[in-house]
Amino acid sequence: MSGPREGFVSAFVVLALLLVLTVLTVVAAYAPIGVFHVPVALALAGLKSILVVLYYMHMRHGRSSDWVVIGTGLLLLAVLIGMILSDVVTRGWSG
Amino acid sequence: MDDTRETDPAEGDAGPNYLRAGYSIRSWLLTTDHKRIAILYLVSLTVMFLVGGAAAVLLRLELISSEASLVSGDGYNKLFTLHGVIMIFFFLVPSIPAVFGNFLIPMMVGARDMAFPRINLASWYLYMTGAILGIAIIVGGGVDTGWTFYTPYSSTYANTHVILAVAGVFIAGFSSIFTGLNIVATVYAMRAPGLGWGRLPLFVWSLLATSLIILLATPVLAITLALVAVERATGIGIFDPGLGGDPVLFQHLFWFYSHPAVYIMILPSLGVVSEIVACFARKRIYGYPFMAGASIAIAILGFFVWGHHMFVSGQSVYAGIVFSFLSFLVAVPSAVKVFNWIATLHRGQISFETPMLYAFGFIGLFVVGGLTGLFTATIAVNVHIHDTYFVVAHFHYIMVGGALMGYLGALHFWWPKIMGRLYPERLARWSAIFVFLGFNLTFFPQFLLGYQGMPRRYHVYPQEFELLNVFSSGGAIFLGLGYLLPAIYLTWSLKYGRAAGPNPWGATGLEWTTASPPPSENFARTPRVTEPVYNYTGERQS
Amino acid sequence: MSHGHKGVAPAHQFESVEQQQRVARFGMWMFLISETMIFGALFTGYAVYWTLYPEAFQEAAQFLDVTYGTVMTVVLLVSSTTVALAITALEGDRRRLAAGLFGVTIALGLVFFVLKIIEYAEKIGDGLLPTRGFEYPGAESADQAQVFFSWYFVITGTHAVHLIVGLAAIGFVIWPILRGTYHAKYFSPVEGTGLYWHLVDVIWIFVFPLLYLMGRAGGMG
């Protein structure tokens, strides 16, 4: 490997962004946004994760094979959560 | 089989073969050679198969008569639990990936070893830890939850060693994760020059698909069983409705693994059969890209269908409809496989050596098991046959008729490569026929029993079912004989079998280009692949 | 041992060190995805009960302490940063700096762990341990609230177990870094350890809002 993939400065910039997003997450939790609490919280958490994955976990320069692994995992995660919740949500519906 | 085509390859000079790389116990227990680890797995899996098989023998003995003649109700519960847990988690799930995957994947891709040899060895130790826990349970008095560990019975009411059992399965789960990880990494990164994705043997593709399932589904089972143990140990409410929990959630999480687990068992066999059919029909496999794609498709579709185990569990009707429909879809790639094998056989130079007999047996049983799967996936029919012997027969056609036939086929196909010896062909053919006939005699009556309404998991039953049960138990004798014979003649062949030579079947594939048994580093120098996959050119030149 | 790198010959099954590092990273990502599925199953269970018992869960979530949650989040984010810095340092062959930064990570991880223990102790002291002796002061169904606390302990507990494993792993690479076993040309085990720690961080990024911050504004809709 030739030299660092990320500089020291970028690590601190990312940390600053992560902290800002954390503050936003807390603020959003107390804001009167009704049904949007969960989507907003998930979106902010997703954004933070993307930062960590791209910069701290070096996936900004990642190989496509590693992306395939990540993508497949996230897809199956969606299947797990989505299909189980689809049962729970529709359980009360009467035919 | 005098082999004149193969000149003695230069690989013979690549040092001693892997079996002679060391004779001490230490040289086996601390080996990182994928071939030796495969042998460790082969031996330990055989032991576990015998334990699980012994339980099956007792079950069939009890069921000869409609009364409780041999074991009590409790004893029967423990026997079928033992049979299920051992056979599924400690034999079928690891079987082909851990033995033949370990042995063959690096050789098929032209590598010197797996990508992570030490993790590979760790995987065997994890497996052994789990297996020893499994054995400890038998000694300690058994488990009676069924291999499915359904809550709240398992987490609250059962008075048996549930925690120990789920711990064993948990640990064995990580062993298969390590194996799966190794297989994918090896295939991804260590292919020999010229070995593009389109030249991989279908066995490799099928194990890639298997590993995909192992990596993504096993963790879910592990944490779910851990939650059962936690609920049982501490009394916090997770699945127990008495504590506010939802037992259907347990079933969801359990089957999220355990349905795809069926594909963990069957996909490797599909790959094995492709290798064997191409070799003994002397033809390139028909529709190679579709065969490879179908393996991946089965793995992915397999994740969308688990709810068909839960049609009568209190799952929402709408979810049931969706799961039922999606389950039918799995039949498509499965049928693609069967039709392509038939197309491969068409106008092939077919010969009927032992591995081919197992492959034919596999195809027949797989078709029966698959088609009855369509019955069970249909909600209305499922409600009628749920938890009956129909289901028992169906999944044994897939998991024993399918997965185990594939395992035995692989064992006979690659035994000359693994040990460098040929087995007595005539005896082996007879035992393959015994397995096929015995299997059908054992399990076909169970379709009839189930359709007539005999429920599974009972040690006593109405007398009208007795005749078919006697047939079933009688078939089990032939089946057992068919399993015992290979154990005897294969062991015999280790000392007395004729030397196999590098390529007794005249097969294509890198594993056949090196000596049998292979040298420790597999190849004298890294092979270079210049031919397309399955480059069979008509008649066998031998 | 100032610049005496151990040889950079690859392990016998590989053709080059580059290949070896690439495969190690690929393997680690597979393992991380497996780990993610573990937490995926836990979050699924949690979501299922939110759907079944929305009122009780919303009330019970108020009993978690946002201050603890926020502080722990910040601690873990900073610890991830020090790991990222350590990898950068190692890539530039500044091994002492890298080891020092990993030392800071361990300290931060321990801070997180101690906070977790204090938080657990408070919850248990308040009678919120969801087993025999569960005393729930809220107005909604105590049975259902008990399930909330079951998931709270299970999810944060599983996370804590991973945190400990991560700490141990970091502890194991520090000395070899100083000794020069790992260096700019070969540091796969260090990178794998770092990736693992980042995953522990990413999981917590989701745990924090989904457990600690739910239903704060009243009315989940």
Side-chain angles (χ1 to χ4, degrees):
Chain A
M1 213 157 289
S2 50
R5 286 164 292 179
E6 298 287 350
F8 291 110
V9 178
S10 78
F12 283 107
V13 173
V14 171
L15 175 64
L17 285 171
L18 288 172
L19 292 176
V20 168
L21 286 170
T22 304
V23 172
L24 273 179
T25 308
V26 176
V27 169
Y30 287 95
I33 50 176
V35 293
F36 293 107
H37 273 119
V38 176
V40 167
L42 284 175
L44 288 169
L47 211 54
K48 287 163 78 177
S49 309
I50 289 171
L51 281 174
V52 173
V53 169
L54 285 183
Y55 287 89
Y56 288 177
M57 300 171 96
H58 300 289
M59 281 307 289
R60 200 154 68 99
H61 313 286
R63 305 181 64 88
S64 51
S65 51
D66 297 354
W67 280 115
V68 169
V69 172
I70 298 174
T72 318
L74 293 182
L75 179 77
L76 263 294
L77 197 61
V79 172
L80 173 69
I81 296 178
M83 293 198 74
I84 292 183
L85 279 183
S86 75
D87 161 39
V88 176
V89 170
T90 58
R91 238 182 255 174
W93 297 5
S94 49
Chain B
M1 259 146 278
D2 295 336
D3 207 299
T4 50
R5 189 178 72 146
E6 297 292 332
T7 51
D8 200 39
E11 279 76 12
D13 307 333
N17 77 53
Y18 76 100
L19 291 170
R20 297 191 181 166
Y23 295 97
S24 63
I25 293 186
R26 186 189 150 88
S27 77
W28 281 94
L29 292 183
L30 293 180
T31 183
T32 51
D33 183 337
H34 66 103
K35 299 181 288 300
R36 287 191 156 217
I37 294 171
I39 301 295
L40 291 174
Y41 262 117
L42 178 66
V43 172
S44 32
L45 282 169
T46 306
V47 171
M48 291 311 269
F49 179 77
L50 289 177
V51 174
V57 167
L58 291 174
L59 290 171
R60 277 325 313 172
L61 278 177
E62 165 61 43
L63 291 172
I64 288 175
S65 88
S66 56
E67 289 150 19
S69 48
L70 187 65
V71 292
S72 63
D74 266 350
Y76 188 82
N77 292 346
K78 288 174 180 172
L79 274 178
F80 71 67
T81 304
L82 181 74
H83 172 66
V85 169
I86 299 271
M87 284 303 201
I88 289 174
F89 296 114
F90 295 106
F91 180 74
L92 284 171
V93 165
S95 62
I96 294 181
V99 178
F100 300 104
N102 246 329
F103 196 97
L104 294 167
I105 290 284
M107 304 194 66
M108 283 181 163
V109 303
R112 287 186 285 274
D113 202 332
M114 283 282 197
F116 311 115
R118 275 182 296 179
I119 289 180
N120 202 11
L121 181 64
S123 142
W124 181 72
Y125 276 99
L126 285 174
Y127 170 81
M128 287 308 286
T129 312
I132 287 168
L133 274 174
I135 302 288
I137 295 162
I138 305 171
V139 178
V143 196
D144 65 345
T145 58
W147 76 277
T148 47
F149 299 111
Y150 269 19
T151 55
Y153 182 73
S154 61
S155 66
T156 310
Y157 302 107
N159 289 317
T160 46
H161 300 289
V162 179
I163 293 184
L164 221 53
V166 298
V169 175
F170 183 94
I171 295 168
F174 279 91
S175 133
S176 59
I177 288 179
F178 283 175
T179 301
L181 205 149
N182 243 322
I183 289 173
V184 179
T186 306
V187 177
Y188 155 68
M190 303 178 75
R191 280 169 287 130
L195 188 61
W197 291 98
R199 286 179 174 176
L200 287 177
L202 288 168
F203 179 75
V204 176
W205 276 105
S206 73
L207 278 187
L208 274 181
T210 309
S211 306
L212 173 81
I213 304 174
I214 289 175
L215 285 169
L216 293 167
T218 315
V220 174
L221 176 80
I223 190 67
T224 306
L225 293 182
L227 289 177
V228 169
V230 167
E231 181 168 81
R232 190 175 166 84
T234 66
I236 74 173
I238 297 168
F239 299 124
D240 182 359
L243 300 166
D246 177 16
V248 179
L249 173 65
F250 170 83
Q251 296 188 22
H252 272 303
L253 295 173
F254 179 83
W255 289 111
F256 180 84
Y257 168 81
S258 296
H259 187 74
V262 176
Y263 302 114
I264 295 179
M265 304 172 212
I266 197 74
L267 274 167
S269 291
L270 298 172
V272 168
V273 169
S274 296
E275 300 296 321
I276 295 176
V277 164
C279 175
F280 294 100
R282 315 309 303 166
K283 266 183 72 187
R284 192 170 299 181
I285 206 90
Y286 182 84
Y288 171 90
F290 293 95
M291 292 295 261
S295 289
I296 303 293
I298 291 174
I300 292 176
L301 283 176
F303 274 109
F304 288 83
V305 302
W306 78 81
H308 65 219
H309 294 266
M310 302 164 57
F311 287 148
V312 299
S313 70
Q315 173 185 245
S316 122
V317 182
Y318 301 94
I321 293 169
V322 173
F323 277 124
S324 172
F325 171 74
L326 292 170
S327 303
F328 294 142
L329 290 186
V330 181
V332 177
S334 311
V336 165
K337 295 244 170 212
V338 174
F339 287 128
N340 280 0
W341 288 324
I342 294 171
T344 307
L345 291 170
H346 180 62
R347 293 179 174 229
Q349 310 271 341
I350 300 171
S351 58
F352 294 91
E353 274 87 351
T354 313
M356 192 60 158
L357 293 183
Y358 279 110
F360 278 127
F362 172 94
I363 296 173
L365 300 180
F366 178 68
V367 166
V368 175
L371 291 178
T372 52
L374 293 176
F375 294 38
T376 48
T378 312
I379 298 186
V381 180
N382 184 288
V383 172
H384 174 64
I385 58 178
H386 200 92
D387 267 347
T388 68
Y389 268 86
F390 191 91
V391 176
V392 175
H394 157 68
F395 71 70
H396 279 89
Y397 264 79
I398 293 293
M399 284 153 56
V400 184
L404 198 55
M405 291 292 265
Y407 181 81
L408 289 172
L411 191 61
H412 286 86
F413 189 50
W414 282 293
W415 183 262
K417 176 54 61 186
I418 295 173
M419 294 303 178
R421 301 283 184 165
L422 295 170
Y423 45 80
E425 178 67 22
R426 184 185 284 270
L427 191 56
R429 288 188 203 187
W430 274 112
S431 89
I433 291 166
F434 269 136
V435 170
F436 183 77
L437 294 180
F439 176 84
N440 280 298
L441 190 54
T442 309
F443 290 103
F444 201 84
Q446 297 186 6
F447 279 126
L448 308 176
L449 285 168
Y451 202 74
Q452 290 168 12
M454 178 172 168
R456 64 195 280 204
R457 294 183 166 171
Y458 285 92
H459 68 306
V460 292
Y461 54 86
Q463 199 160 10
E464 66 202 80
F465 297 136
E466 209 164 49
L467 180 65
L468 285 169
N469 269 298
V470 170
F471 273 125
S472 182
S473 295
I477 296 173
F478 287 97
L479 191 55
L481 192 64
Y483 292 152
L484 275 182
L485 277 176
I488 296 167
Y489 63 72
L490 289 178
T491 313
W492 176 89
S493 78
L494 286 179
K495 194 161 167 60
Y496 304 104
R498 280 189 297 130
N503 192 358
W505 313 120
T508 66
L510 289 176
E511 79 269 29
W512 300 107
T513 63
T514 187
S516 315
S520 289
E521 297 257 297
N522 295 345
F523 304 96
R525 65 192 79 81
T526 306
R528 186 169 290 275
V529 181
T530 53
E531 292 184 345
V533 67
Y534 301 120
N535 199 18
Y536 289 103
T537 49
E539 209 158 332
R540 191 155 106 210
Q541 294 142 339
S542 60
Chain C
M1 183 139 327
S2 59
H3 224 71
H5 290 157
K6 294 211 171 154
V8 284
H12 84 107
Q13 70 272 30
F14 295 108
E15 302 294 334
S16 65
V17 176
E18 195 282 326
Q19 181 195 30
Q20 183 169 358
Q21 305 218 60
R22 180 161 52 94
V23 178
R25 207 176 304 132
F26 183 68
M28 195 62 202
W29 271 109
M30 283 193 278
F31 185 67
L32 294 187
I33 284 297
S34 273
E35 290 279 5
T36 308
M37 292 306 285
I38 288 186
F39 285 95
L42 291 175
F43 281 124
T44 306
Y46 180 68
V48 163
Y49 289 110
W50 259 101
T51 316
L52 292 176
Y53 312 140
E55 292 85 8
F57 264 50
Q58 185 166 321
E59 189 192 64
Q62 314 288 322
F63 288 89
L64 299 189
D65 194 318
V66 179
T67 314
Y68 276 128
T70 313
V71 173
M72 285 193 277
T73 306
V74 172
V75 169
L76 219 45
L77 289 176
V78 176
S79 80
S80 240
T81 310
T82 55
V83 168
L85 292 169
I87 296 288
T88 302
L90 194 55
E91 284 170 329
D93 223 2
R94 296 162 74 176
R95 302 205 306 269
R96 298 243 302 265
L97 179 61
L101 285 162
F102 274 127
V104 176
T105 309
I106 291 188
L108 289 167
L110 289 175
V111 168
F112 180 96
F113 191 63
V114 169
L115 284 173
K116 187 95 259 163
I117 289 175
I118 295 173
E119 193 197 5
Y120 275 1
E122 277 185 16
K123 292 284 166 292
I124 294 168
D126 293 344
L128 293 175
L129 188 67
T131 179
R132 283 167 213 83
F134 180 71
E135 282 174 38
Y136 184 60
E140 299 283 345
S141 153
D143 266 4
Q144 297 178 2
Q146 190 170 345
V147 175
F148 175 85
F149 285 100
S150 296
W151 285 98
Y152 159 74
F153 277 104
V154 163
I155 292 177
T156 55
T158 311
H159 180 266
V161 169
H162 282 77
L163 184 101
I164 305 240
V165 172
L167 283 176
I170 293 176
F172 276 114
V173 296
I174 288 184
W175 176 239
I177 291 173
L178 287 171
R179 220 176 39 186
T181 310
Y182 305 131
H183 47 76
K185 293 260 186 310
Y186 174 71
F187 57 93
S188 281
V190 184
E191 180 166 45
T193 305
L195 287 174
Y196 188 85
W197 189 262
H198 293 307
L199 180 81
V200 172
D201 186 30
V202 167
I203 301 290
W204 185 262
I205 285 175
F206 284 90
V207 171
F208 172 54
L210 292 179
L211 265 76
Y212 289 82
L213 294 177
M214 281 293 118
R216 291 290 158 181
M220 285 288 300

